[in-house]
Amino acid sequence: MTATAKILTTTAKVLFTGKTHTTSGPDGASRSSDGFVDVKLPQPHPAAENLFASAWSACYLGAIELAAAQRKIKLPASPAVDTEIDLNREGDSFFLRARLNVSLPGVDREVAQTLAEAAHGICPYSKAVHGNIEVSTNVL
């Protein structure tokens, strides 16, 4: 752990903690402690990739909205993102690839691209995967 990471973890304020209990097998399931998530998982894939895509998308959209607010850019319509997570295998190694297709209706393409890039610096999911998986972001 770097000195910066240690400082952040000792002074950071927890905003929310997600808690789930997940089981495997033909009756596999995942349920959050608050009951918000309650999904059957008889096969781990594609559920894992779909859930990861959903969680990342939600966080990333919030980051786009925050990036716009920080730059005093009013989004004329709700932003949207279509996220695709690929589970890949090469030999005995498994890895992920991601594509985020961003739609910011009514926003100039160059401005939309700036917001999409800035959001990766805000979104904790984007930060967590940085350098770990191949990510392409496309502004539609």
Side-chain angles (χ1 to χ4, degrees), residues 26-99:
D27 295 323
S30 188
R31 180 174 168 79
S32 61
S33 60
D34 61 5
F36 186 76
V37 173
D38 189 2
V39 62
K40 294 184 185 326
L41 300 172
Q43 296 180 358
H45 306 287
E49 289 73 29
N50 286 333
L51 291 168
F52 183 53
S54 294
W56 190 357
S57 296
C59 180
Y60 185 73
L61 283 171
I64 287 173
E65 291 170 342
L66 180 58
Q70 289 172 339
R71 291 161 176 75
K72 297 182 179 18
I73 297 169
K74 183 168 176 11
L75 298 175
S78 296
V81 62
D82 293 317
T83 301
E84 301 172 52
I85 304 294
D86 298 328
L87 173 63
N88 301 280
R89 181 177 180 176
E90 187 172 315
D92 291 336
S93 180
F94 295 91
F95 61 97
L96 300 174
R97 280 195 187 115
R99 287 175 303 289

